[in-house]
């Protein structure tokens, strides 16, 4: 059974930081391209960061320079370090694993508000 479990969300003030984690089970993690997506109320889900099997990364323009994605294949975990958070970063953040199939986590809420 495949599971992706996100953690690390919460309430943070503008300018603050959070680190999200997503731990996988039931898949050969190192074969998968891992991504973080987010979905704000009334908006479509968007990809914010991706890391390939070789460690190459790419980011949405809206988060470049503020967010960093990283992976630990031994721990089957992908991280999203989020710095200089803004109210417009408020969303549910989802982890995605993609190879021969696509898997999603359940999401973790990030709220940026004073």
């Amino acid at each position: 059974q495949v599971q992706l479990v996100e953690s690390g969300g919460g309430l943070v003030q503008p300018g603050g930081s959070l680190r999200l984690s997503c731990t996988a089970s039931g898949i050969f993690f190192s074969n998968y391209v891992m991504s973080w997506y987010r979905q704000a109320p009334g908006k479509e889900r968007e990809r914010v960061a991706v890391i390939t099997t070789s460690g190459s990364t790419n980011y949405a323009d809206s988060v470049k320079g503020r967010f960093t994605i990283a992976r630990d294949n031994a721990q089957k975990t992908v991280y999203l370090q989020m710095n200089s958070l803004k109210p417009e970063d408020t969303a549910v953040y989802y982890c995605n694993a993609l190879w021969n199939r696509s898997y999603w986590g359940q999401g973790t809420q990030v709220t940026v508000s004073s």
Side-chain angles (χ1 to χ4, degrees):
Q1 181 181 0
V2 177
Q3 279 192 309
L4 299 178
V5 180
E6 298 106 332
S7 60
L11 173 63
V12 63
Q13 292 187 342
S17 298
L18 283 174
R19 188 176 83 152
L20 305 183
S21 300
C22 169
T23 300
S25 59
I27 61 172
F28 195 66
F29 183 81
S30 59
N31 280 5
Y32 283 76
V33 174
M34 299 300 298
S35 300
W36 286 97
Y37 286 73
R38 68 185 181 189
Q39 188 166 20
K43 294 189 176 182
E44 292 189 355
R45 191 173 296 190
E46 64 169 345
R47 191 175 72 180
V48 296
V50 57
I51 185 164
T52 69
T53 56
S54 62
S56 297
T57 59
N58 199 15
Y59 300 91
D61 287 343
S62 58
V63 307
K64 275 181 184 175
R66 300 188 298 121
F67 290 11
T68 302
I69 189 170
R71 66 190 297 159
D72 183 336
N73 288 340
Q75 298 296 321
K76 294 189 174 183
T77 300
V78 61
Y79 303 97
L80 186 68
Q81 177 67 44
M82 306 186 294
N83 299 328
S84 303
L85 283 160
K86 305 175 181 180
E88 51 264 43
D89 294 318
T90 295
V92 178
Y93 284 71
Y94 298 90
C95 171
N96 176 263
L98 178 63
W99 182 37
N100 53 347
R101 291 186 61 180
S102 178
Y103 298 101
W104 293 91
Q106 82 287 353
T108 185
Q109 176 70 47
V110 172
T111 303
V112 184
S113 175
S114 55

